[in-house]
Amino acid sequence: MKNTINTLLRTLVAATFLLTVSFGAFANNNTDKTTQRAREAVENAAPDDWYTLAKAAEKCIAKKVNLKEAAEWLNKSLAIHESAFNLKVKGDYYVHNQLPEKALEYYSKSIRVGKLEDPSYMDAETQDKILALVRQIG
């Protein structure tokens, strides 16, 4: 009887451990779906596809995951082509890293590039971000 109880307890402890490990792994996969999808998009993109690199970085920054790789994708994107979009995403990256002066620099550059590409370009969201940073910095 004692052996049966010991065996049952060992089995219960092992099952609890396995469930805990399984649920922990499952939770990590759920929180990192953004990274997985972003990596897939980057891997399937053409070598000169600056937009996909910037979009993947934008998603990671918004979810606050995989920020180191997001910065690498942004740098590659900007090296291929500077656009209002990828410059704005770089500003978002700097905001997340609490570097408001750098963020302001990239947001401003984003507006300038947008206006150069299209004189009627308007980006109220980025303008609001600039205003908020100017107030923050002082």
Side-chain angles (χ1 to χ4, degrees):
M1 178 80 170
K2 192 173 182 180
N3 282 342
T4 304
I5 292 173
N6 283 340
T7 303
L8 185 58
L9 284 174
R10 286 183 187 153
T11 304
L12 183 61
V13 169
T16 303
F17 174 77
L18 289 173
L19 280 173
T20 303
V21 170
S22 296
F23 284 127
F26 181 72
N28 287 340
N29 286 340
N30 278 343
T31 58
D32 212 17
K33 281 185 180 179
T34 300
T35 299
Q36 291 172 351
R37 289 181 181 151
R39 283 180 181 152
E40 288 172 9
V42 168
E43 288 170 7
N44 293 324
D48 63 344
D49 186 354
W50 63 268
Y51 181 79
T52 298
L53 290 164
K55 193 68 178 170
E58 178 190 43
K59 289 178 182 180
C60 289
I61 292 165
K63 296 283 187 171
K64 298 178 176 136
V65 296
N66 194 35
L67 296 176
K68 184 178 179 183
E69 196 169 18
E72 292 170 9
W73 293 335
L74 269 175
N75 291 337
K76 287 179 184 176
S77 175
L78 289 163
I80 295 167
H81 173 74
E82 284 191 357
S83 73
F85 177 68
N86 59 10
L87 290 164
K88 176 176 70 169
V89 174
K90 186 75 169 194
D92 292 342
Y93 173 80
Y94 282 125
V95 164
H96 176 75
N97 285 287
Q98 300 175 348
L99 296 166
E101 291 88 2
K102 293 296 285 180
L104 185 59
E105 175 187 336
Y106 276 86
Y107 287 148
S108 298
K109 194 171 182 181
S110 169
I111 298 291
R112 277 194 309 274
V113 168
K115 285 285 189 186
L116 286 173
E117 290 176 351
D118 176 7
S120 64
Y121 175 80
M122 293 290 294
D123 186 349
E125 179 186 351
T126 301
Q127 290 173 339
D128 289 344
K129 290 177 181 182
I130 290 171
L131 183 57
L133 286 171
V134 167
R135 287 180 179 153
Q136 177 187 340
I137 294 169

